[in-house]
Amino acid sequence: MSSSRNRILARVGVGLAAVPILLAAACAPGGSTSDSSGPSVKPSSKIATDPAKAGKVSLTVWDINTSGGANDAMVKLNQEFEKKYPNVKINRVSRTLNDTKTTLKLALSGDNPPDVVQANQGYPDMGAFVKAGLLTPLDQYNKVYKWDQKFPKQLLDLNKFSTNGKDWQTGSLYGVSQTGEIVGIYYNKKLMKQAGIAAPKTWADFEAALPKAKAKGLLPIQFGTSDKSPAIHLFGVVQANTAGKQAVRNLVTSKSGEWSDAGTTKAAETVQSWAKKGYLSPGFNGLSGDAASANFAKGQGVFRIDGTWRLAELEKAMGSDVGFMSPPPAKAGAPNVTQGGEGLAWAVTSKSKHPDVAAAYLNFITNAQADDVLAETGNLPAVAPPNYQPKAGTLTADIFSAWKKISENDGLVPYLDYTTPTFYDTLTSNLQQLLGGKQNVKQFTGNLDQDYDGFKSK
Protein backbone atom coordinates (compact mmCIF):
# COMPACT_ATOMS: atom_id res chain seq x y z
CA MET A 1 0.00 0.00 0.00
CA SER A 2 1.82 3.00 -1.20
CA SER A 3 1.40 6.19 -3.06
CA SER A 4 2.63 4.19 -6.03
CA ARG A 5 2.12 1.01 -4.52
CA ASN A 6 2.22 -2.16 -2.72
CA ARG A 7 3.74 -9.88 -0.76
CA ILE A 8 6.70 -11.15 -2.23
CA LEU A 9 8.35 -14.01 -3.91
CA ALA A 10 10.81 -13.35 -6.64
CA ARG A 11 13.84 -14.62 -8.43
CA VAL A 12 16.64 -12.35 -9.56
CA GLY A 13 20.01 -12.69 -11.16
CA VAL A 14 21.59 -11.26 -8.01
CA GLY A 15 20.61 -14.41 -6.19
CA LEU A 16 17.11 -13.68 -4.90
CA ALA A 17 15.71 -17.09 -4.11
CA ALA A 18 12.08 -18.06 -4.50
CA VAL A 19 10.93 -17.92 -0.90
CA PRO A 20 7.24 -17.93 0.03
CA ILE A 21 5.71 -15.47 2.44
CA LEU A 22 3.92 -17.34 5.14
CA LEU A 23 0.62 -15.59 5.54
CA ALA A 24 -2.40 -17.58 6.61
CA ALA A 25 -5.62 -16.92 4.74
CA ALA A 26 -7.73 -14.42 6.59
CA CYS A 27 -11.31 -15.38 7.26
CA ALA A 28 -13.81 -12.92 8.60
CA PRO A 29 -15.75 -14.25 11.58
CA GLY A 30 -19.00 -15.76 10.48
CA GLY A 31 -17.69 -16.58 7.02
CA SER A 32 -16.20 -19.73 5.62
CA THR A 33 -13.98 -20.58 2.71
CA SER A 34 -16.79 -22.54 1.07
CA ASP A 35 -19.24 -19.65 1.21
CA SER A 36 -19.47 -18.24 -2.30
CA SER A 37 -22.77 -16.43 -2.05
CA GLY A 38 -22.96 -12.85 -3.23
CA PRO A 39 -22.97 -10.96 -6.50
CA SER A 40 -20.60 -12.06 -9.23
CA VAL A 41 -20.11 -11.29 -12.88
CA LYS A 42 -18.37 -13.92 -14.98
CA PRO A 43 -16.65 -13.52 -18.32
CA SER A 44 -17.94 -15.34 -21.38
CA SER A 45 -16.93 -18.99 -21.68
CA LYS A 46 -15.17 -18.31 -24.99
CA ILE A 47 -12.28 -15.96 -24.35
CA ALA A 48 -10.73 -13.90 -27.14
CA THR A 49 -7.02 -13.48 -26.46
CA ASP A 50 -6.09 -11.33 -29.48
CA PRO A 51 -7.11 -7.68 -29.03
CA ALA A 52 -6.26 -7.04 -32.69
CA LYS A 53 -9.44 -8.88 -33.63
CA ALA A 54 -11.66 -6.89 -31.24
CA GLY A 55 -12.31 -3.99 -33.60
CA LYS A 56 -11.91 -0.41 -32.46
CA VAL A 57 -11.70 -0.37 -28.68
CA SER A 58 -11.30 2.41 -26.14
CA LEU A 59 -9.99 1.04 -22.85
CA THR A 60 -10.14 3.28 -19.77
CA VAL A 61 -7.47 2.40 -17.23
CA TRP A 62 -7.15 3.84 -13.71
CA ASP A 63 -3.82 3.52 -11.92
CA ILE A 64 -2.00 5.08 -8.97
CA ASN A 65 1.42 5.28 -10.63
CA THR A 66 1.64 9.05 -10.54
CA SER A 67 5.38 9.61 -10.25
CA GLY A 68 8.89 8.34 -10.80
CA GLY A 69 9.68 4.95 -12.26
CA ALA A 70 6.16 3.64 -11.76
CA ASN A 71 4.79 6.32 -14.07
CA ASP A 72 7.65 5.83 -16.55
CA ALA A 73 6.93 2.10 -16.74
CA MET A 74 3.22 2.59 -17.40
CA VAL A 75 3.85 5.21 -20.08
CA LYS A 76 6.18 2.83 -21.89
CA LEU A 77 3.97 -0.25 -21.48
CA ASN A 78 0.87 1.59 -22.68
CA GLN A 79 2.77 2.86 -25.71
CA GLU A 80 3.95 -0.65 -26.50
CA PHE A 81 0.45 -2.08 -26.11
CA GLU A 82 -1.03 0.52 -28.46
CA LYS A 83 1.77 -0.08 -30.97
CA LYS A 84 1.08 -3.81 -30.96
CA TYR A 85 -2.69 -3.29 -31.06
CA PRO A 86 -3.30 0.01 -32.92
CA ASN A 87 -7.05 -0.62 -32.82
CA VAL A 88 -6.99 -0.17 -29.03
CA LYS A 89 -6.76 3.25 -27.40
CA ILE A 90 -5.67 3.38 -23.76
CA ASN A 91 -7.35 6.23 -21.86
CA ARG A 92 -5.18 6.44 -18.77
CA VAL A 93 -6.35 8.11 -15.56
CA SER A 94 -3.61 8.31 -12.94
CA ARG A 95 -4.36 9.43 -9.39
CA THR A 96 -2.67 9.11 -6.01
CA LEU A 97 -3.66 6.24 -3.74
CA ASN A 98 -5.54 8.57 -1.42
CA ASP A 99 -7.51 10.18 -4.27
CA THR A 100 -8.24 6.78 -5.75
CA LYS A 101 -9.56 5.42 -2.48
CA THR A 102 -12.07 8.28 -2.25
CA THR A 103 -13.31 8.09 -5.85
CA LEU A 104 -12.93 4.55 -7.14
CA LYS A 105 -16.01 2.88 -5.65
CA LEU A 106 -18.25 5.68 -6.90
CA ALA A 107 -16.70 5.38 -10.36
CA LEU A 108 -17.11 1.60 -10.42
CA SER A 109 -20.78 1.79 -9.47
CA GLY A 110 -21.53 4.55 -12.00
CA ASP A 111 -22.87 4.29 -15.54
CA ASN A 112 -19.50 4.73 -17.24
CA PRO A 113 -16.89 2.94 -15.12
CA PRO A 114 -13.28 2.31 -16.14
CA ASP A 115 -12.38 -1.04 -17.69
CA VAL A 116 -9.23 -1.68 -15.69
CA VAL A 117 -8.38 -0.44 -12.19
CA GLN A 118 -5.80 -0.98 -9.49
CA ALA A 119 -7.56 -2.32 -6.41
CA ASN A 120 -5.86 -2.35 -3.04
CA GLN A 121 -5.76 -5.79 -1.45
CA GLY A 122 -7.60 -6.64 1.75
CA TYR A 123 -11.05 -5.81 3.06
CA PRO A 124 -11.32 -2.01 2.65
CA ASP A 125 -11.12 -1.96 -1.15
CA MET A 126 -10.93 -5.28 -2.97
CA GLY A 127 -13.21 -7.04 -0.49
CA ALA A 128 -15.80 -4.27 -0.68
CA PHE A 129 -15.66 -4.17 -4.48
CA VAL A 130 -16.06 -7.94 -4.72
CA LYS A 131 -18.99 -7.92 -2.31
CA ALA A 132 -20.70 -5.26 -4.43
CA GLY A 133 -20.10 -7.22 -7.64
CA LEU A 134 -17.90 -4.49 -9.12
CA LEU A 135 -14.95 -6.67 -10.21
CA THR A 136 -14.79 -9.55 -12.68
CA PRO A 137 -13.48 -12.91 -11.44
CA LEU A 138 -10.35 -13.76 -13.41
CA ASP A 139 -10.31 -17.54 -12.94
CA GLN A 140 -11.15 -18.29 -16.58
CA TYR A 141 -8.52 -15.83 -17.75
CA ASN A 142 -6.00 -17.43 -15.41
CA LYS A 143 -6.55 -20.72 -17.23
CA VAL A 144 -5.73 -19.02 -20.52
CA TYR A 145 -2.85 -16.79 -19.47
CA LYS A 146 -1.49 -19.19 -16.85
CA TRP A 147 -0.72 -16.57 -14.24
CA ASP A 148 -0.60 -19.34 -11.67
CA GLN A 149 2.47 -20.70 -13.47
CA LYS A 150 4.29 -17.36 -13.30
CA PHE A 151 3.26 -16.08 -9.89
CA PRO A 152 3.66 -18.17 -6.73
CA LYS A 153 0.46 -19.22 -5.00
CA GLN A 154 1.24 -16.95 -2.05
CA LEU A 155 1.14 -13.93 -4.34
CA LEU A 156 -2.01 -14.85 -6.22
CA ASP A 157 -3.80 -15.67 -2.96
CA LEU A 158 -3.42 -12.06 -1.85
CA ASN A 159 -5.63 -11.10 -4.80
CA LYS A 160 -8.34 -13.63 -4.03
CA PHE A 161 -11.68 -13.32 -2.26
CA SER A 162 -14.79 -15.39 -1.81
CA THR A 163 -17.45 -13.83 -4.03
CA ASN A 164 -19.33 -12.47 -1.02
CA GLY A 165 -16.25 -10.46 -0.02
CA LYS A 166 -15.97 -12.15 3.38
CA ASP A 167 -12.99 -14.43 3.01
CA TRP A 168 -9.65 -13.03 1.92
CA GLN A 169 -6.86 -15.08 0.26
CA THR A 170 -9.26 -17.77 -0.89
CA GLY A 171 -11.93 -18.19 -3.53
CA SER A 172 -11.75 -16.48 -6.93
CA LEU A 173 -8.88 -14.47 -8.37
CA TYR A 174 -9.71 -10.79 -8.85
CA GLY A 175 -6.39 -9.27 -9.87
CA VAL A 176 -2.72 -9.66 -10.74
CA SER A 177 0.11 -7.46 -9.47
CA GLN A 178 3.15 -6.10 -11.29
CA THR A 179 5.48 -5.23 -8.48
CA GLY A 180 6.79 -6.21 -5.10
CA GLU A 181 7.77 -3.73 -2.40
CA ILE A 182 9.10 -3.25 1.08
CA VAL A 183 9.16 -0.23 3.36
CA GLY A 184 12.63 0.61 4.58
CA ILE A 185 14.96 3.44 5.50
CA TYR A 186 16.50 5.70 2.89
CA TYR A 187 19.51 7.61 4.16
CA ASN A 188 21.56 10.57 2.95
CA LYS A 189 25.17 9.43 3.00
CA LYS A 190 26.63 12.94 3.14
CA LEU A 191 24.44 14.00 6.05
CA MET A 192 25.16 10.80 7.96
CA LYS A 193 28.89 11.51 7.61
CA GLN A 194 28.36 15.13 8.62
CA ALA A 195 26.53 14.03 11.78
CA GLY A 196 29.05 11.31 12.56
CA ILE A 197 26.45 8.57 12.29
CA ALA A 198 27.56 5.05 11.42
CA ALA A 199 25.23 2.66 9.59
CA PRO A 200 22.82 1.37 12.28
CA LYS A 201 23.19 -2.35 12.97
CA THR A 202 20.31 -2.56 15.45
CA TRP A 203 17.03 -0.76 16.03
CA ALA A 204 18.57 0.84 19.12
CA ASP A 205 21.39 2.17 16.92
CA PHE A 206 18.84 3.76 14.60
CA GLU A 207 16.94 5.39 17.46
CA ALA A 208 20.23 6.67 18.93
CA ALA A 209 21.06 8.30 15.58
CA LEU A 210 17.97 10.54 15.69
CA PRO A 211 18.96 12.82 18.60
CA LYS A 212 22.52 12.83 17.27
CA ALA A 213 21.32 14.18 13.93
CA LYS A 214 19.13 16.78 15.63
CA ALA A 215 22.01 17.93 17.82
CA LYS A 216 23.95 18.67 14.63
CA GLY A 217 21.13 20.91 13.39
CA LEU A 218 19.86 18.31 10.91
CA LEU A 219 16.33 16.99 10.44
CA PRO A 220 16.42 13.35 11.58
CA ILE A 221 13.45 12.01 9.56
CA GLN A 222 11.87 13.65 6.52
CA PHE A 223 8.17 12.86 6.85
CA GLY A 224 4.82 14.06 5.53
CA THR A 225 1.41 12.45 5.85
CA SER A 226 -1.29 14.82 4.63
CA ASP A 227 -2.17 12.03 2.19
CA LYS A 228 -2.56 9.61 5.11
CA SER A 229 -0.82 6.42 3.93
CA PRO A 230 2.75 7.51 4.85
CA ALA A 231 1.79 7.36 8.52
CA ILE A 232 0.94 3.68 8.08
CA HIS A 233 4.43 3.07 6.71
CA LEU A 234 6.10 4.91 9.58
CA PHE A 235 4.04 3.20 12.26
CA GLY A 236 4.16 -0.21 10.56
CA VAL A 237 7.95 -0.28 10.43
CA VAL A 238 8.17 0.54 14.13
CA GLN A 239 5.44 -1.93 15.10
CA ALA A 240 7.12 -4.74 13.15
CA ASN A 241 10.16 -4.26 15.41
CA THR A 242 8.38 -3.68 18.72
CA ALA A 243 5.63 -6.30 18.37
CA GLY A 244 7.32 -8.84 16.10
CA LYS A 245 6.23 -10.27 12.80
CA GLN A 246 3.92 -13.02 14.06
CA ALA A 247 1.96 -10.73 16.36
CA VAL A 248 1.41 -8.27 13.52
CA ARG A 249 0.40 -11.02 11.09
CA ASN A 250 -2.07 -12.38 13.61
CA LEU A 251 -3.65 -8.96 14.07
CA VAL A 252 -4.02 -8.20 10.37
CA THR A 253 -5.51 -11.63 9.62
CA SER A 254 -7.80 -11.54 12.70
CA LYS A 255 -6.25 -14.69 14.13
CA SER A 256 -5.43 -13.37 17.59
CA GLY A 257 -4.34 -10.40 19.66
CA GLU A 258 -5.51 -6.85 20.27
CA TRP A 259 -4.19 -3.53 19.04
CA SER A 260 -3.65 -2.49 22.64
CA ASP A 261 -1.01 -5.21 23.14
CA ALA A 262 2.39 -4.30 24.56
CA GLY A 263 4.23 -4.26 21.24
CA THR A 264 1.71 -2.04 19.47
CA THR A 265 1.50 0.27 22.48
CA LYS A 266 5.29 0.58 22.43
CA ALA A 267 5.18 1.46 18.71
CA ALA A 268 2.59 4.17 19.36
CA GLU A 269 4.67 5.59 22.20
CA THR A 270 7.75 5.58 19.99
CA VAL A 271 6.32 7.45 17.00
CA GLN A 272 4.57 9.95 19.24
CA SER A 273 7.83 10.63 21.07
CA TRP A 274 9.59 11.18 17.72
CA ALA A 275 7.02 13.82 16.86
CA LYS A 276 7.29 15.52 20.26
CA LYS A 277 11.10 15.60 20.14
CA GLY A 278 11.15 17.18 16.69
CA TYR A 279 12.59 14.18 14.89
CA LEU A 280 9.93 14.45 12.16
CA SER A 281 9.46 17.26 9.63
CA PRO A 282 7.71 20.38 10.99
CA GLY A 283 4.08 20.50 9.90
CA PHE A 284 4.11 16.86 8.80
CA ASN A 285 0.31 16.51 8.91
CA GLY A 286 0.09 19.23 6.24
CA LEU A 287 2.91 17.83 4.10
CA SER A 288 2.28 15.14 1.49
CA GLY A 289 4.38 12.04 1.06
CA ASP A 290 5.43 13.20 -2.42
CA ALA A 291 6.50 16.60 -1.07
CA ALA A 292 8.46 14.97 1.74
CA SER A 293 10.21 12.70 -0.75
CA ALA A 294 11.10 15.73 -2.87
CA ASN A 295 12.45 17.50 0.22
CA PHE A 296 14.58 14.49 1.07
CA ALA A 297 15.95 14.45 -2.48
CA LYS A 298 17.03 18.07 -1.95
CA GLY A 299 19.08 17.11 1.10
CA GLN A 300 16.50 17.88 3.78
CA GLY A 301 16.62 14.99 6.24
CA VAL A 302 19.12 12.34 7.23
CA PHE A 303 16.60 9.50 7.02
CA ARG A 304 13.32 8.85 5.24
CA ILE A 305 11.07 5.87 5.99
CA ASP A 306 9.37 5.01 2.72
CA GLY A 307 8.81 2.25 0.22
CA THR A 308 10.88 0.87 -2.62
CA TRP A 309 8.49 2.58 -5.06
CA ARG A 310 10.64 5.70 -4.50
CA LEU A 311 13.69 4.01 -6.02
CA ALA A 312 13.71 5.67 -9.45
CA GLU A 313 13.00 9.24 -8.35
CA LEU A 314 15.51 9.24 -5.48
CA GLU A 315 18.28 7.57 -7.45
CA LYS A 316 17.78 10.05 -10.27
CA ALA A 317 17.84 13.03 -7.92
CA MET A 318 20.54 11.94 -5.48
CA GLY A 319 22.74 9.47 -7.35
CA SER A 320 25.36 7.88 -5.13
CA ASP A 321 24.45 10.11 -2.16
CA VAL A 322 21.44 7.97 -1.22
CA GLY A 323 21.34 4.49 0.27
CA PHE A 324 18.61 2.11 1.46
CA MET A 325 18.44 -0.44 4.24
CA SER A 326 15.82 -2.63 5.80
CA PRO A 327 14.89 -1.46 9.30
CA PRO A 328 17.66 -2.90 11.51
CA PRO A 329 16.69 -5.75 13.86
CA ALA A 330 16.29 -5.56 17.61
CA LYS A 331 19.49 -7.57 18.06
CA ALA A 332 22.60 -7.46 15.91
CA GLY A 333 22.68 -10.36 13.47
CA ALA A 334 18.98 -11.16 13.83
CA PRO A 335 16.81 -11.27 10.70
CA ASN A 336 15.32 -7.98 9.50
CA VAL A 337 11.55 -7.51 9.68
CA THR A 338 9.55 -4.88 7.86
CA GLN A 339 6.23 -4.00 6.31
CA GLY A 340 5.57 -4.61 2.66
CA GLY A 341 3.76 -6.58 0.04
CA GLU A 342 3.01 -6.64 -3.63
CA GLY A 343 1.73 -3.74 -5.68
CA LEU A 344 -1.96 -3.03 -5.98
CA ALA A 345 -3.81 -5.62 -8.02
CA TRP A 346 -4.74 -4.83 -11.61
CA ALA A 347 -8.38 -5.83 -12.00
CA VAL A 348 -11.09 -5.91 -14.67
CA THR A 349 -14.33 -4.18 -13.75
CA SER A 350 -17.59 -6.05 -14.00
CA LYS A 351 -19.21 -3.39 -16.21
CA SER A 352 -16.40 -3.30 -18.76
CA LYS A 353 -17.72 -3.66 -22.32
CA HIS A 354 -14.39 -5.21 -23.33
CA PRO A 355 -13.43 -7.70 -20.59
CA ASP A 356 -11.36 -9.91 -22.91
CA VAL A 357 -9.30 -6.94 -24.14
CA ALA A 358 -8.96 -5.74 -20.55
CA ALA A 359 -7.68 -9.15 -19.44
CA ALA A 360 -5.23 -9.22 -22.36
CA TYR A 361 -4.00 -5.82 -21.21
CA LEU A 362 -3.48 -7.19 -17.68
CA ASN A 363 -1.44 -10.02 -19.12
CA PHE A 364 0.60 -7.65 -21.27
CA ILE A 365 1.61 -5.36 -18.38
CA THR A 366 2.56 -8.29 -16.12
CA ASN A 367 4.34 -10.66 -18.55
CA ALA A 368 8.09 -11.31 -18.75
CA GLN A 369 8.68 -8.44 -21.17
CA ALA A 370 6.86 -6.09 -18.82
CA ASP A 371 9.14 -7.26 -15.99
CA ASP A 372 12.12 -6.08 -18.05
CA VAL A 373 10.49 -2.67 -18.53
CA LEU A 374 9.72 -2.42 -14.82
CA ALA A 375 13.30 -3.22 -13.82
CA GLU A 376 14.75 -0.84 -16.42
CA THR A 377 12.60 2.03 -15.13
CA GLY A 378 13.58 1.59 -11.50
CA ASN A 379 10.83 -0.70 -10.22
CA LEU A 380 10.92 -4.00 -8.38
CA PRO A 381 8.95 -6.60 -10.38
CA ALA A 382 6.98 -9.14 -8.36
CA VAL A 383 8.82 -11.80 -10.35
CA ALA A 384 12.03 -10.13 -11.43
CA PRO A 385 13.89 -10.84 -14.69
CA PRO A 386 16.30 -13.74 -14.09
CA ASN A 387 19.17 -12.02 -15.87
CA TYR A 388 18.79 -8.56 -14.36
CA GLN A 389 21.96 -7.35 -12.64
CA PRO A 390 21.79 -4.00 -10.78
CA LYS A 391 25.00 -2.00 -10.79
CA ALA A 392 27.00 -2.48 -7.59
CA GLY A 393 26.99 0.43 -5.16
CA THR A 394 23.73 1.91 -6.42
CA LEU A 395 20.42 2.47 -4.69
CA THR A 396 18.96 -0.20 -6.97
CA ALA A 397 21.50 -2.71 -5.70
CA ASP A 398 20.73 -1.76 -2.09
CA ILE A 399 17.03 -2.33 -2.64
CA PHE A 400 17.39 -5.64 -4.47
CA SER A 401 19.73 -6.84 -1.73
CA ALA A 402 17.30 -5.81 1.02
CA TRP A 403 14.45 -7.52 -0.84
CA LYS A 404 16.51 -10.70 -1.13
CA LYS A 405 17.31 -10.84 2.58
CA ILE A 406 13.77 -10.07 3.70
CA SER A 407 12.43 -12.75 1.35
CA GLU A 408 14.90 -15.43 2.36
CA ASN A 409 14.31 -14.82 6.07
CA ASP A 410 10.51 -14.62 5.91
CA GLY A 411 10.73 -11.10 7.31
CA LEU A 412 7.67 -9.44 5.82
CA VAL A 413 4.57 -8.28 7.67
CA PRO A 414 1.41 -7.16 5.82
CA TYR A 415 0.17 -3.63 5.41
CA LEU A 416 -1.93 -2.77 8.44
CA ASP A 417 -4.85 -1.25 6.52
CA TYR A 418 -5.79 -4.71 5.21
CA THR A 419 -7.21 -5.54 8.66
CA THR A 420 -10.88 -4.54 8.32
CA PRO A 421 -13.08 -2.80 5.71
CA THR A 422 -12.77 0.49 7.62
CA PHE A 423 -9.27 0.16 9.05
CA TYR A 424 -7.51 2.42 6.56
CA ASP A 425 -9.59 5.40 7.65
CA THR A 426 -9.50 4.42 11.32
CA LEU A 427 -5.75 3.91 11.41
CA THR A 428 -4.72 6.94 9.36
CA SER A 429 -7.01 9.43 11.10
CA ASN A 430 -5.94 8.22 14.53
CA LEU A 431 -2.26 8.25 13.58
CA GLN A 432 -2.58 11.87 12.51
CA GLN A 433 -4.20 12.64 15.87
CA LEU A 434 -1.56 10.66 17.79
CA LEU A 435 1.39 12.22 15.99
CA GLY A 436 -0.16 15.68 16.21
CA GLY A 437 -0.48 15.43 19.99
CA LYS A 438 -4.28 15.51 19.89
CA GLN A 439 -4.65 11.99 21.29
CA ASN A 440 -2.85 9.87 23.86
CA VAL A 441 -1.60 6.34 23.25
CA LYS A 442 -4.42 4.69 25.18
CA GLN A 443 -7.03 6.50 23.12
CA PHE A 444 -5.19 5.56 19.93
CA THR A 445 -4.99 1.83 20.63
CA GLY A 446 -8.52 1.83 22.03
CA ASN A 447 -9.93 3.25 18.81
CA LEU A 448 -8.08 0.63 16.77
CA ASP A 449 -9.41 -2.12 19.02
CA GLN A 450 -12.95 -0.82 18.63
CA ASP A 451 -12.76 -1.11 14.84
CA TYR A 452 -10.98 -4.47 15.00
CA ASP A 453 -13.32 -6.03 17.59
CA GLY A 454 -16.40 -4.79 15.74
CA PHE A 455 -15.22 -6.53 12.58
CA LYS A 456 -14.41 -9.78 14.39
CA SER A 457 -17.82 -9.87 16.05
CA LYS A 458 -19.73 -9.81 12.75
Side-chain angles (χ1 to χ4, degrees):
M1 178 228 55
S2 71
S3 57
S4 300
R5 93 169 193 176
N6 321 230
R7 219 122 318 224
I8 41 185
L9 193 70
R11 41 183 176 79
V12 233
V14 293
L16 181 52
V19 183
I21 293 167
L22 304 176
L23 285 176
C27 178
S32 70
T33 57
S34 62
D35 186 346
S36 60
S37 61
S40 177
V41 179
K42 296 182 179 180
S44 60
S45 57
K46 188 176 181 180
I47 294 172
T49 59
D50 186 1
K53 298 178 180 180
K56 190 174 182 179
V57 173
S58 179
L59 206 66
T60 300
V61 177
W62 280 32
D63 68 56
I64 64 161
N65 302 315
T66 58
S67 63
N71 177 66
D72 294 342
M74 290 316 302
V75 168
K76 186 171 184 179
L77 289 172
N78 285 343
Q79 289 174 344
E80 291 181 355
F81 187 85
E82 290 181 328
K83 182 178 180 180
K84 185 173 183 178
Y85 305 111
N87 59 306
V88 180
K89 172 65 177 175
I90 302 295
N91 298 312
R92 183 185 177 206
V93 178
S94 188
R95 292 188 171 100
T96 64
L97 174 66
N98 196 48
D99 287 345
T100 298
K101 287 182 74 68
T102 60
T103 59
L104 184 54
K105 187 170 184 179
L106 182 62
L108 291 178
S109 56
D111 295 330
N112 190 30
D115 299 280
V116 174
V117 299
Q118 280 190 283
N120 200 8
Q121 292 89 346
Y123 290 101
D125 293 342
M126 183 179 283
F129 299 156
V130 169
K131 182 178 180 180
L134 300 175
L135 301 181
T136 295
L138 300 179
D139 303 290
Q140 292 189 52
Y141 294 116
N142 181 40
K143 292 178 182 178
V144 173
Y145 294 114
K146 304 186 186 306
W147 293 319
D148 56 347
Q149 292 184 20
K150 175 186 177 179
F151 297 99
K153 181 178 183 297
Q154 288 80 8
L155 283 183
L156 287 184
D157 283 354
L158 291 167
N159 294 328
K160 288 182 178 180
F161 260 99
S162 60
T163 53
N164 58 11
K166 286 186 176 182
D167 302 327
W168 179 35
Q169 301 184 58
T170 187
S172 291
L173 181 68
Y174 285 94
V176 287
S177 299
Q178 285 178 310
T179 57
E181 57 195 36
I182 56 174
V183 178
I185 302 172
Y186 291 93
Y187 55 93
N188 186 309
K189 296 177 183 179
K190 286 185 176 180
L191 294 185
M192 282 184 67
K193 184 177 180 180
Q194 180 180 331
I197 298 172
K201 294 182 179 180
T202 66
W203 185 251
D205 290 343
F206 174 70
E207 289 201 281
L210 304 182
K212 194 170 185 179
K214 187 171 176 59
K216 293 290 185 177
L218 301 172
L219 174 64
I221 300 175
Q222 178 61 241
F223 175 68
T225 191
S226 66
D227 44 345
K228 298 183 179 182
S229 60
I232 298 179
H233 306 145
L234 180 78
F235 180 74
V237 161
V238 178
Q239 187 200 28
N241 279 274
T242 58
K245 67 182 180 183
Q246 197 55 54
V248 177
R249 289 174 178 176
N250 289 344
L251 282 171
V252 175
T253 56
S254 301
K255 289 182 66 176
S256 64
E258 292 290 336
W259 288 86
S260 52
D261 65 24
T264 303
T265 297
K266 176 64 175 176
E269 292 170 346
T270 298
V271 296
Q272 188 179 61
S273 73
W274 288 357
K276 289 179 178 179
K277 293 175 181 177
Y279 296 165
L280 307 179
S281 302
F284 52 78
N285 274 337
L287 184 71
S288 71
D290 286 347
S293 184
N295 288 343
F296 181 75
K298 296 173 185 175
Q300 300 173 24
V302 179
F303 300 109
R304 170 141 180 82
I305 295 175
D306 208 338
T308 51
W309 52 87
R310 298 290 185 185
L311 191 167
E313 63 188 83
L314 291 179
E315 190 161 52
K316 181 179 179 180
M318 302 177 72
S320 60
D321 290 338
V322 61
F324 179 90
M325 61 181 170
S326 297
K331 297 181 180 179
N336 301 81
V337 178
T338 193
Q339 188 179 63
E342 61 180 354
L344 268 67
W346 292 86
V348 177
T349 65
S350 60
K351 292 183 181 180
S352 173
K353 296 178 181 178
H354 310 285
D356 289 356
V357 177
Y361 174 79
L362 261 61
N363 188 61
F364 186 89
I365 64 173
T366 59
N367 64 20
Q369 289 71 31
D371 291 338
D372 289 332
V373 172
L374 289 165
E376 291 164 2
T377 51
N379 297 279
L380 195 60
V383 179
N387 297 319
Y388 179 67
Q389 295 280 355
K391 184 179 178 180
T394 62
L395 180 62
T396 298
D398 284 354
I399 284 176
F400 272 80
S401 176
W403 174 268
K404 175 181 181 292
K405 291 177 182 177
I406 288 288
S407 300
E408 290 178 340
N409 293 312
D410 184 31
L412 204 68
V413 299
Y415 290 111
L416 307 181
D417 56 295
Y418 292 169
T419 304
T420 81
T422 54
F423 211 71
Y424 178 87
D425 289 334
T426 298
L427 179 58
T428 55
S429 62
N430 280 279
L431 276 171
Q432 287 181 325
Q433 294 289 310
L434 176 75
L435 294 171
K438 303 290 181 66
Q439 190 180 82
N440 62 41
V441 169
K442 187 174 181 180
Q443 290 170 324
F444 170 75
T445 57
N447 289 339
L448 300 191
D449 274 340
Q450 185 175 4
D451 187 319
Y452 180 63
D453 292 340
F455 174 64
K456 290 196 299 180
S457 67
K458 292 180 181 178

